[in-house]
Amino acid sequence: MRSSAASDVYKRQLFEQESSIGYHNDRAQTAYKEGTTSRDESFSAAFYRFSLDGHLDRNQLLRATLSTFNRSFKKDMVNWFAGLFEELQPRAEELISLQEEIMQVFTSPYTKPVNVMLQQLKKIASEGGFHYQEFIERATTLFFSSPKNSLLTIYSIFEQIVTGHPEMKEACCIPLCQLFLKKDESLQKKAASLKMFLLLGFFYHLQDFLHRSLIPHKQVLIITDSLQPQLLVEIL
């Protein structure tokens, strides 16, 4: 199945056209769980097996999976391919070579593929080949509409970036200020607990950000004054 003709066929039929692949995949997994089949004959399981035994080129398969997020597929199909990418269990070196395509998924209107890709990038955030500057730039746009689990993953990746590249503290600090506009108190505490904020003139960045967000001056002072003792405790 590694022949060019065969590869073109499965790419065209499964990765480039809308289909009910998720439905058939679920049916096959159910049959295996219920004992109807002796092994998992689902598409996802087959892709994983074939990518390991050489029947399919793993790099081509991973890239084909990532390409589906640039198509106008329905949500269920997009989510299925996000799950497939996880099930293929890409290795660190594969993720490093694919990180440009992975970050492009950040523009997806759906939550699951973005969450999956953030989790994958978290695995290589401390690797030497990680494009941390590009990640900071692309991830900044996710703060506006991402759910809590995505924001926590971004925070974790930023922490890893700062640990390995101290010169990026300010670049990470500024976008993280947006967490203070979230209603979730745990997200605010996450941002406040990052010790680099105080060391970088955190209050200057936070006040500037809040002012630009059209928050009244008195409210800005209340927010920053309430955070200062907590940050000092964290630092000490």
Side-chain angles (χ1 to χ4, degrees):
M1 200 166 174
R2 290 193 65 173
S3 68
S4 177
S7 296
D8 288 343
V9 169
Y10 88 77
K11 282 179 61 180
R12 184 168 58 253
Q13 293 183 344
L14 300 177
F15 294 85
E16 298 178 6
Q17 300 175 6
E18 192 83 39
S19 70
S20 56
I21 188 172
Y23 169 75
H24 294 294
N25 193 83
D26 290 344
R27 288 193 63 184
Q29 289 180 334
T30 299
Y32 174 62
K33 291 176 182 178
E34 294 178 348
T36 306
T37 55
S38 59
R39 71 171 182 175
D40 188 348
E41 298 291 354
S42 64
F43 281 102
S44 54
F47 281 140
Y48 179 65
R49 289 197 301 267
F50 291 158
S51 72
L52 294 181
D53 64 17
H55 282 83
L56 288 177
D57 183 280
R58 274 186 63 84
N59 182 64
Q60 187 181 58
L61 180 57
L62 289 167
R63 289 184 184 279
T65 304
L66 288 171
S67 73
T68 63
F69 304 114
N70 299 319
R71 307 186 191 283
S72 55
F73 291 155
K74 295 178 181 177
K75 181 179 180 179
D76 288 347
M77 192 169 178
V78 170
N79 287 346
W80 184 82
F81 278 112
L84 173 63
F85 194 83
E86 281 186 302
E87 290 189 49
L88 291 174
Q89 301 177 33
R91 299 182 289 270
E93 61 270 21
E94 292 172 327
L95 292 172
I96 289 175
S97 70
L98 294 169
Q99 57 187 305
E100 174 62 31
E101 291 92 331
I102 290 174
M103 291 186 201
Q104 289 176 8
V105 180
F106 291 171
T107 61
S108 173
Y110 304 117
T111 300
K112 182 172 181 177
V114 175
N115 284 343
V116 168
M117 298 309 151
L118 285 172
Q119 289 295 331
Q120 297 298 318
L121 291 174
K122 182 180 176 180
K123 299 175 183 178
I124 60 170
S126 298
E127 299 287 336
F130 181 54
H131 297 170
Y132 56 89
Q133 291 176 311
E134 182 178 357
F135 175 81
I136 295 172
E137 181 179 344
R138 289 179 179 265
T140 298
T141 62
L142 298 177
F143 280 93
F144 299 104
S145 58
S146 295
K148 179 179 178 178
N149 55 346
S150 292
L151 294 174
L152 290 175
T153 303
I154 294 172
Y155 173 89
S156 178
I157 295 175
F158 274 17
E159 277 192 317
Q160 293 184 63
I161 292 174
V162 170
T163 298
H165 308 277
E167 74 280 6
M168 300 306 298
K169 288 179 179 179
E170 186 170 356
C172 291
C173 169
I174 295 173
L176 281 174
C177 286
Q178 295 179 65
L179 294 182
F180 286 96
L181 295 183
K182 303 295 182 181
K183 294 182 179 180
D184 192 304
E185 188 174 324
S186 63
L187 288 173
Q188 296 179 12
K189 288 182 178 180
K190 273 287 187 182
S193 67
L194 203 53
K195 298 176 177 61
M196 67 178 181
F197 275 179
L198 189 58
L199 300 175
L200 286 170
F202 165 72
F203 291 107
Y204 167 78
H205 290 301
L206 179 58
Q207 286 182 342
D208 179 64
F209 174 78
L210 294 175
H211 280 307
R212 286 187 286 106
S213 300
L214 302 181
I215 295 177
H217 180 68
K218 288 185 178 180
Q219 186 64 27
V220 171
L221 293 178
I222 291 173
I223 293 174
T224 54
D225 287 347
S226 66
L227 286 172
Q228 188 169 7
Q230 179 181 346
L231 281 170
L232 287 175
V233 169
E234 292 287 345
I235 292 295
L236 297 174

mmCIF file of all heavy atoms in Angstrom, residues 188-214:
data_model
loop_
_atom_site.group_PDB
_atom_site.id
_atom_site.type_symbol
_atom_site.label_atom_id
_atom_site.label_comp_id
_atom_site.label_asym_id
_atom_site.label_seq_id
_atom_site.Cartn_x
_atom_site.Cartn_y
_atom_site.Cartn_z
ATOM 1 N N GLN A 188 -6.819 33.247 36.560
ATOM 2 C CA GLN A 188 -6.176 34.461 37.055
ATOM 3 C C GLN A 188 -5.036 34.113 38.007
ATOM 4 O O GLN A 188 -3.966 34.729 37.972
ATOM 5 C CB GLN A 188 -7.209 35.341 37.760
ATOM 6 C CG GLN A 188 -8.309 35.850 36.837
ATOM 7 C CD GLN A 188 -9.322 36.705 37.581
ATOM 8 O OE1 GLN A 188 -9.100 37.105 38.724
ATOM 9 N NE2 GLN A 188 -10.452 36.980 36.936
ATOM 10 N N LYS A 189 -5.265 33.121 38.855
ATOM 11 C CA LYS A 189 -4.225 32.718 39.808
ATOM 12 C C LYS A 189 -3.036 32.105 39.078
ATOM 13 O O LYS A 189 -1.885 32.272 39.505
ATOM 14 C CB LYS A 189 -4.799 31.728 40.814
ATOM 15 C CG LYS A 189 -5.759 32.359 41.820
ATOM 16 C CD LYS A 189 -6.271 31.340 42.820
ATOM 17 C CE LYS A 189 -7.183 31.985 43.837
ATOM 18 N NZ LYS A 189 -7.712 31.017 44.829
ATOM 19 N N LYS A 190 -3.317 31.388 38.004
ATOM 20 C CA LYS A 190 -2.231 30.820 37.207
ATOM 21 C C LYS A 190 -1.318 31.917 36.690
ATOM 22 O O LYS A 190 -0.089 31.830 36.777
ATOM 23 C CB LYS A 190 -2.802 30.025 36.027
ATOM 24 C CG LYS A 190 -3.134 28.580 36.326
ATOM 25 C CD LYS A 190 -1.871 27.753 36.465
ATOM 26 C CE LYS A 190 -2.179 26.283 36.606
ATOM 27 N NZ LYS A 190 -0.940 25.483 36.786
ATOM 28 N N ALA A 191 -1.937 32.943 36.142
ATOM 29 C CA ALA A 191 -1.153 34.054 35.607
ATOM 30 C C ALA A 191 -0.395 34.771 36.716
ATOM 31 O O ALA A 191 0.778 35.118 36.573
ATOM 32 C CB ALA A 191 -2.063 35.027 34.875
ATOM 33 N N ALA A 192 -1.057 34.967 37.853
ATOM 34 C CA ALA A 192 -0.444 35.688 38.968
ATOM 35 C C ALA A 192 0.707 34.918 39.588
ATOM 36 O O ALA A 192 1.636 35.508 40.141
ATOM 37 C CB ALA A 192 -1.493 35.987 40.034
ATOM 38 N N SER A 193 0.651 33.605 39.500
ATOM 39 C CA SER A 193 1.675 32.786 40.157
ATOM 40 C C SER A 193 2.954 32.684 39.332
ATOM 41 O O SER A 193 3.962 32.197 39.823
ATOM 42 C CB SER A 193 1.143 31.375 40.410
ATOM 43 O OG SER A 193 0.938 30.691 39.188
ATOM 44 N N LEU A 194 2.900 33.164 38.098
ATOM 45 C CA LEU A 194 4.097 33.086 37.262
ATOM 46 C C LEU A 194 5.084 34.149 37.734
ATOM 47 O O LEU A 194 4.912 35.344 37.522
ATOM 48 C CB LEU A 194 3.733 33.304 35.797
ATOM 49 C CG LEU A 194 4.709 32.736 34.768
ATOM 50 C CD1 LEU A 194 4.973 31.255 35.026
ATOM 51 C CD2 LEU A 194 4.180 32.921 33.374
ATOM 52 N N LYS A 195 6.119 33.720 38.404
ATOM 53 C CA LYS A 195 7.034 34.641 39.083
ATOM 54 C C LYS A 195 7.680 35.645 38.148
ATOM 55 O O LYS A 195 8.089 36.722 38.542
ATOM 56 C CB LYS A 195 8.100 33.834 39.825
ATOM 57 C CG LYS A 195 7.538 32.938 40.912
ATOM 58 C CD LYS A 195 8.622 32.096 41.545
ATOM 59 C CE LYS A 195 8.084 31.255 42.688
ATOM 60 N NZ LYS A 195 7.046 30.306 42.274
ATOM 61 N N MET A 196 7.772 35.307 36.876
ATOM 62 C CA MET A 196 8.443 36.207 35.942
ATOM 63 C C MET A 196 7.691 37.525 35.811
ATOM 64 O O MET A 196 8.272 38.544 35.457
ATOM 65 C CB MET A 196 8.574 35.559 34.574
ATOM 66 C CG MET A 196 7.258 35.343 33.850
ATOM 67 S SD MET A 196 7.530 34.632 32.241
ATOM 68 C CE MET A 196 5.833 34.542 31.646
ATOM 69 N N PHE A 197 6.386 37.548 36.086
ATOM 70 C CA PHE A 197 5.618 38.767 35.919
ATOM 71 C C PHE A 197 6.184 39.911 36.751
ATOM 72 O O PHE A 197 6.390 41.012 36.279
ATOM 73 C CB PHE A 197 4.166 38.516 36.320
ATOM 74 C CG PHE A 197 3.328 37.942 35.219
ATOM 75 C CD1 PHE A 197 1.994 37.634 35.444
ATOM 76 C CD2 PHE A 197 3.853 37.722 33.966
ATOM 77 C CE1 PHE A 197 1.207 37.112 34.426
ATOM 78 C CE2 PHE A 197 3.090 37.205 32.960
ATOM 79 C CZ PHE A 197 1.756 36.892 33.182
ATOM 80 N N LEU A 198 6.388 39.648 38.039
ATOM 81 C CA LEU A 198 6.877 40.696 38.920
ATOM 82 C C LEU A 198 8.277 41.130 38.507
ATOM 83 O O LEU A 198 8.602 42.315 38.514
ATOM 84 C CB LEU A 198 6.875 40.214 40.371
ATOM 85 C CG LEU A 198 7.161 41.281 41.429
ATOM 86 C CD1 LEU A 198 6.154 42.408 41.332
ATOM 87 C CD2 LEU A 198 7.155 40.672 42.805
ATOM 88 N N LEU A 199 9.113 40.178 38.160
ATOM 89 C CA LEU A 199 10.484 40.478 37.785
ATOM 90 C C LEU A 199 10.544 41.294 36.505
ATOM 91 O O LEU A 199 11.517 41.977 36.233
ATOM 92 C CB LEU A 199 11.266 39.170 37.599
ATOM 93 C CG LEU A 199 11.345 38.282 38.840
ATOM 94 C CD1 LEU A 199 12.034 36.964 38.499
ATOM 95 C CD2 LEU A 199 12.079 38.986 39.964
ATOM 96 N N LEU A 200 9.525 41.249 35.695
ATOM 97 C CA LEU A 200 9.507 41.948 34.397
ATOM 98 C C LEU A 200 8.752 43.268 34.441
ATOM 99 O O LEU A 200 8.414 43.815 33.405
ATOM 100 C CB LEU A 200 8.845 41.044 33.344
ATOM 101 C CG LEU A 200 9.677 39.882 32.866
ATOM 102 C CD1 LEU A 200 8.824 38.939 32.038
ATOM 103 C CD2 LEU A 200 10.843 40.384 32.049
ATOM 104 N N GLY A 201 8.451 43.749 35.612
ATOM 105 C CA GLY A 201 7.614 44.934 35.672
ATOM 106 C C GLY A 201 6.190 44.558 35.314
ATOM 107 O O GLY A 201 5.540 45.206 34.494
ATOM 108 N N PHE A 202 5.755 43.474 35.935
ATOM 109 C CA PHE A 202 4.440 42.927 35.615
ATOM 110 C C PHE A 202 3.331 43.971 35.690
ATOM 111 O O PHE A 202 2.469 44.066 34.827
ATOM 112 C CB PHE A 202 4.124 41.771 36.569
ATOM 113 C CG PHE A 202 2.687 41.371 36.568
ATOM 114 C CD1 PHE A 202 2.149 40.692 35.492
ATOM 115 C CD2 PHE A 202 1.870 41.687 37.640
ATOM 116 C CE1 PHE A 202 0.817 40.318 35.490
ATOM 117 C CE2 PHE A 202 0.540 41.319 37.638
ATOM 118 C CZ PHE A 202 0.018 40.635 36.565
ATOM 119 N N PHE A 203 3.329 44.785 36.731
ATOM 120 C CA PHE A 203 2.228 45.713 36.921
ATOM 121 C C PHE A 203 2.161 46.747 35.799
ATOM 122 O O PHE A 203 1.085 47.196 35.416
ATOM 123 C CB PHE A 203 2.340 46.395 38.286
ATOM 124 C CG PHE A 203 2.083 45.449 39.414
ATOM 125 C CD1 PHE A 203 3.116 45.006 40.219
ATOM 126 C CD2 PHE A 203 0.804 44.969 39.647
ATOM 127 C CE1 PHE A 203 2.870 44.109 41.238
ATOM 128 C CE2 PHE A 203 0.553 44.068 40.670
ATOM 129 C CZ PHE A 203 1.596 43.641 41.476
ATOM 130 N N TYR A 204 3.318 47.094 35.266
ATOM 131 C CA TYR A 204 3.306 48.035 34.137
ATOM 132 C C TYR A 204 2.571 47.414 32.956
ATOM 133 O O TYR A 204 1.697 48.038 32.343
ATOM 134 C CB TYR A 204 4.737 48.402 33.735
ATOM 135 C CG TYR A 204 4.795 49.096 32.399
ATOM 136 C CD1 TYR A 204 4.457 50.445 32.272
ATOM 137 C CD2 TYR A 204 5.157 48.387 31.253
ATOM 138 C CE1 TYR A 204 4.486 51.074 31.044
ATOM 139 C CE2 TYR A 204 5.187 49.003 30.022
ATOM 140 C CZ TYR A 204 4.853 50.351 29.916
ATOM 141 O OH TYR A 204 4.877 50.966 28.694
ATOM 142 N N HIS A 205 2.904 46.149 32.642
ATOM 143 C CA HIS A 205 2.255 45.478 31.512
ATOM 144 C C HIS A 205 0.769 45.260 31.773
ATOM 145 O O HIS A 205 -0.063 45.441 30.883
ATOM 146 C CB HIS A 205 2.931 44.126 31.245
ATOM 147 C CG HIS A 205 4.298 44.256 30.680
ATOM 148 N ND1 HIS A 205 4.557 44.904 29.496
ATOM 149 C CD2 HIS A 205 5.505 43.809 31.135
ATOM 150 C CE1 HIS A 205 5.856 44.861 29.234
ATOM 151 N NE2 HIS A 205 6.445 44.208 30.210
ATOM 152 N N LEU A 206 0.436 44.866 33.005
ATOM 153 C CA LEU A 206 -0.959 44.586 33.320
ATOM 154 C C LEU A 206 -1.793 45.864 33.274
ATOM 155 O O LEU A 206 -2.872 45.888 32.682
ATOM 156 C CB LEU A 206 -1.071 43.935 34.701
ATOM 157 C CG LEU A 206 -2.498 43.604 35.158
ATOM 158 C CD1 LEU A 206 -3.183 42.674 34.160
ATOM 159 C CD2 LEU A 206 -2.470 42.971 36.536
ATOM 160 N N GLN A 207 -1.290 46.926 33.865
ATOM 161 C CA GLN A 207 -2.037 48.180 33.847
ATOM 162 C C GLN A 207 -2.227 48.690 32.429
ATOM 163 O O GLN A 207 -3.313 49.134 32.053
ATOM 164 C CB GLN A 207 -1.311 49.236 34.697
ATOM 165 C CG GLN A 207 -1.432 49.004 36.196
ATOM 166 C CD GLN A 207 -0.733 50.091 36.996
ATOM 167 O OE1 GLN A 207 0.103 50.815 36.456
ATOM 168 N NE2 GLN A 207 -1.064 50.190 38.270
ATOM 169 N N ASP A 208 -1.174 48.616 31.650
ATOM 170 C CA ASP A 208 -1.269 49.061 30.261
ATOM 171 C C ASP A 208 -2.310 48.244 29.500
ATOM 172 O O ASP A 208 -3.125 48.789 28.746
ATOM 173 C CB ASP A 208 0.101 48.938 29.583
ATOM 174 C CG ASP A 208 0.057 49.369 28.125
ATOM 175 O OD1 ASP A 208 -0.219 50.558 27.861
ATOM 176 O OD2 ASP A 208 0.297 48.517 27.241
ATOM 177 N N PHE A 209 -2.284 46.940 29.709
ATOM 178 C CA PHE A 209 -3.229 46.058 29.028
ATOM 179 C C PHE A 209 -4.665 46.360 29.448
ATOM 180 O O PHE A 209 -5.576 46.446 28.628
ATOM 181 C CB PHE A 209 -2.906 44.595 29.318
ATOM 182 C CG PHE A 209 -3.916 43.625 28.764
ATOM 183 C CD1 PHE A 209 -3.928 43.296 27.422
ATOM 184 C CD2 PHE A 209 -4.871 43.060 29.600
ATOM 185 C CE1 PHE A 209 -4.869 42.425 26.910
ATOM 186 C CE2 PHE A 209 -5.809 42.183 29.104
ATOM 187 C CZ PHE A 209 -5.807 41.859 27.753
ATOM 188 N N LEU A 210 -4.887 46.523 30.754
ATOM 189 C CA LEU A 210 -6.233 46.778 31.252
ATOM 190 C C LEU A 210 -6.756 48.130 30.768
ATOM 191 O O LEU A 210 -7.938 48.273 30.443
ATOM 192 C CB LEU A 210 -6.248 46.708 32.779
ATOM 193 C CG LEU A 210 -5.967 45.322 33.388
ATOM 194 C CD1 LEU A 210 -5.901 45.416 34.906
ATOM 195 C CD2 LEU A 210 -7.030 44.318 32.957
ATOM 196 N N HIS A 211 -5.883 49.119 30.716
ATOM 197 C CA HIS A 211 -6.300 50.427 30.211
ATOM 198 C C HIS A 211 -6.726 50.325 28.743
ATOM 199 O O HIS A 211 -7.726 50.898 28.330
ATOM 200 C CB HIS A 211 -5.158 51.442 30.350
ATOM 201 C CG HIS A 211 -5.013 51.997 31.727
ATOM 202 N ND1 HIS A 211 -6.063 52.575 32.422
ATOM 203 C CD2 HIS A 211 -3.929 52.060 32.554
ATOM 204 C CE1 HIS A 211 -5.634 52.977 33.602
ATOM 205 N NE2 HIS A 211 -4.347 52.668 33.714
ATOM 206 N N ARG A 212 -5.951 49.587 27.973
ATOM 207 C CA ARG A 212 -6.289 49.421 26.561
ATOM 208 C C ARG A 212 -7.562 48.609 26.377
ATOM 209 O O ARG A 212 -8.176 48.641 25.312
ATOM 210 C CB ARG A 212 -5.117 48.770 25.812
ATOM 211 C CG ARG A 212 -3.948 49.718 25.593
ATOM 212 C CD ARG A 212 -2.863 49.136 24.702
ATOM 213 N NE ARG A 212 -2.061 48.125 25.385
ATOM 214 C CZ ARG A 212 -2.152 46.828 25.164
ATOM 215 N NH1 ARG A 212 -3.039 46.364 24.292
ATOM 216 N NH2 ARG A 212 -1.375 45.969 25.807
ATOM 217 N N SER A 213 -7.945 47.869 27.399
ATOM 218 C CA SER A 213 -9.182 47.090 27.340
ATOM 219 C C SER A 213 -10.383 47.919 27.776
ATOM 220 O O SER A 213 -11.479 47.394 27.962
ATOM 221 C CB SER A 213 -9.059 45.854 28.239
ATOM 222 O OG SER A 213 -7.983 45.048 27.820
ATOM 223 N N LEU A 214 -10.158 49.242 27.975
ATOM 224 C CA LEU A 214 -11.223 50.194 28.311
ATOM 225 C C LEU A 214 -11.837 49.944 29.685
ATOM 226 O O LEU A 214 -12.999 50.266 29.935
ATOM 227 C CB LEU A 214 -12.324 50.178 27.234
ATOM 228 C CG LEU A 214 -11.855 50.497 25.807
ATOM 229 C CD1 LEU A 214 -13.038 50.470 24.851
ATOM 230 C CD2 LEU A 214 -11.162 51.851 25.757
#
